[in-house]
Amino acid sequence: MTGGQTAKDKLCSSVVSVVGKDTQGDLSPNQPPDVGRSYHLTTSASFLCTNLMTPEETLFSYRGANVTLPCHYHYEPALLSPRPQDVLVAIGLRHRSFGDYRGRVCLRQDREREVSLQIGDLRPEDYGRYRCEVIDGWRTRAPLCPPSPGVVFPYQHPQGRYLLNFREAQRACEEQDAVVASFEQLFRAWEEGLDWCNAGWLQDASVQYPVTLARSPAVAWAWRPGAQLRPRHRRLHRYDVFCFSAALKGQVYYLDHPEKLTLAEIAKVGQLFAAWKFRGLDRCDAGWLADGSARYPVVHPRPNCGPLEPGVRSFGFPDPRSRRYGVYCYRPR
């Protein structure tokens, strides 16, 4: 299979070797093509797609016949680093911002030789590394601006663990006012002490989990500290997900009696984690969240308030008819 293939089309290119087996002795050129000589064909393939399925058996046919060499493939998520996205370009007094940054970014030049980037209305997807390039005559300086703060948290389907494919994982994080975390974000959370033995999707469609406390080798996939990698396919395989939520603009607070809800809305999981991380929300009372789970944030561990480490505790997804819990609310500012 050769010809004018584009880079996108060139997913299955196989080199076919044809071996003739003479079953009736030498044949004259005028002999009919379907008499006397059979051919067996084998394929050796050089494939750019990661997962392909080709049968191992040899195909038998005759000269002049048609033959189909089967090849089936499916796409794997690209693990390459995403292409850089332009944020803002300034030439003299003329400025131009791009994409979702339009209207939210500007240069700060409070002093000589300063070209700081100011981002307004910060969003979870703004997290990342920002490269600042200054062309000064023939010299180019390119320092890296620090990423925005945020919190990484594990999330699973209400019906149990390992029920989300990659697209469903993306949607689950978005519904909790968050985005799927990047490997860099998960690694930073691991350095800060995140220890979680359930595997979850990341932004690049890889599947990882952070282990701070080494487990026994008898515990599958969790016998050494670090961010562990598991095999994955974005549609076929199902895991949990690690979400990333940025700092809040609004306020999260607790109500003992849900019937007292006014204009506020029920808080989402990402909002509760952000309030715990950046606002110091500390409450030993479990409350409903928008996804139907019951959780509570603890900054200062104390007796009768769960484990001895700070964190957001979870009671899972209790019976929605239960009246044992209050509710965590969110009020935008």
Side-chain angles (χ1 to χ4, degrees):
M1 287 175 277
T2 60
Q5 297 170 305
T6 65
K8 183 177 180 181
D9 296 326
K10 202 174 179 181
L11 287 171
C12 289
S13 59
S14 60
V15 179
V16 182
S17 60
V18 182
V19 181
K21 180 180 180 181
D22 191 346
T23 60
Q24 299 288 339
D26 292 336
L27 300 177
S28 67
N30 298 323
Q31 192 164 357
D34 58 346
V35 177
R37 176 170 295 187
S38 66
Y39 289 86
H40 67 270
L41 291 81
T42 60
T43 63
S44 61
S46 173
F47 291 91
L48 299 182
C49 42
T50 305
N51 282 286
L52 52 95
M53 292 142 285
T54 55
E56 296 294 333
E57 71 268 15
T58 298
L59 302 179
F60 289 86
S61 187
Y62 292 93
R63 184 176 61 181
N66 297 326
V67 64
T68 299
L69 305 180
C71 168
H72 303 278
Y73 67 92
H74 59 258
Y75 290 100
E76 280 287 356
L79 298 182
L80 300 176
S81 300
R83 295 178 60 184
Q85 176 185 355
D86 289 334
V87 176
L88 181 143
V89 173
I91 303 177
L93 299 177
R94 298 173 59 186
H95 296 180
R96 180 181 177 185
S97 53
F98 299 88
D100 292 336
Y101 291 97
R102 286 179 180 168
R104 297 194 298 123
V105 294
C106 64
L107 285 183
R108 291 195 60 171
Q109 297 177 290
D110 297 335
R111 63 189 68 169
E112 187 180 1
R113 299 182 183 276
E114 179 186 5
V115 284
S116 302
L117 178 68
Q118 180 173 318
I119 305 176
D121 187 22
L122 201 64
R123 303 169 184 176
E125 54 268 28
D126 293 338
Y127 187 97
R129 290 189 175 274
Y130 290 76
R131 180 174 295 276
C132 175
E133 294 187 350
V134 179
I135 300 177
D136 181 12
W138 294 103
R139 296 176 299 167
T140 298
R141 302 187 183 95
L144 286 176
C145 306
S148 59
V151 57
V152 172
F153 60 93
Y155 191 80
Q156 64 180 211
H157 192 278
Q159 296 180 3
R161 75 173 193 161
Y162 294 174
L163 293 177
L164 300 170
N165 64 29
F166 181 65
R167 297 301 181 195
E168 293 165 345
Q170 289 178 310
R171 189 160 53 249
C173 287
E174 291 169 1
E175 290 172 351
Q176 301 312 313
D177 197 35
V179 294
V180 179
S182 67
F183 176 80
E184 180 187 51
Q185 292 162 350
L186 180 68
F187 190 82
R188 181 167 300 166
W190 170 75
E191 290 181 317
E192 295 174 354
L194 180 61
D195 182 78
W196 196 255
C197 205
N198 289 350
W201 292 103
L202 293 180
Q203 191 178 83
D204 62 356
S206 67
V207 175
Q208 313 266 354
Y209 62 100
V211 177
T212 303
L213 305 174
R215 270 75 163 176
S216 163
V219 180
W221 304 96
W223 60 272
R224 66 188 187 277
Q228 316 294 341
L229 173 67
R230 293 194 66 168
R232 78 286 175 269
H233 181 274
R234 68 171 67 197
R235 290 191 304 274
L236 301 180
H237 293 162
R238 294 181 178 271
Y239 295 100
D240 295 341
V241 61
F242 289 99
C243 303
F244 173 83
S245 182
L248 287 176
K249 292 181 68 175
Q251 177 188 9
V252 174
Y253 60 95
Y254 178 82
L255 278 181
D256 282 306
H257 304 288
E259 59 270 15
K260 293 181 180 179
L261 279 174
T262 55
L263 296 178
E265 59 183 11
I266 299 178
K268 300 176 180 179
V269 177
Q271 294 166 346
L272 183 67
F273 268 91
W276 163 75
K277 177 79 172 181
F278 301 108
R279 300 289 176 83
L281 184 61
D282 182 84
R283 182 112 193 176
C284 204
D285 300 292
W288 293 108
L289 294 176
D291 66 338
S293 64
R295 307 172 192 250
Y296 63 99
V298 176
V299 175
H300 305 290
R302 46 202 180 271
N304 302 319
C305 197
L308 298 180
E309 299 82 22
V312 175
R313 322 292 190 216
S314 175
F315 281 86
F317 295 83
D319 185 339
R321 295 168 295 182
S322 173
R323 296 182 176 273
R324 296 175 51 194
Y325 310 109
V327 61
Y328 284 95
C329 305
Y330 174 73
R331 180 184 292 119
R333 286 184 178 175

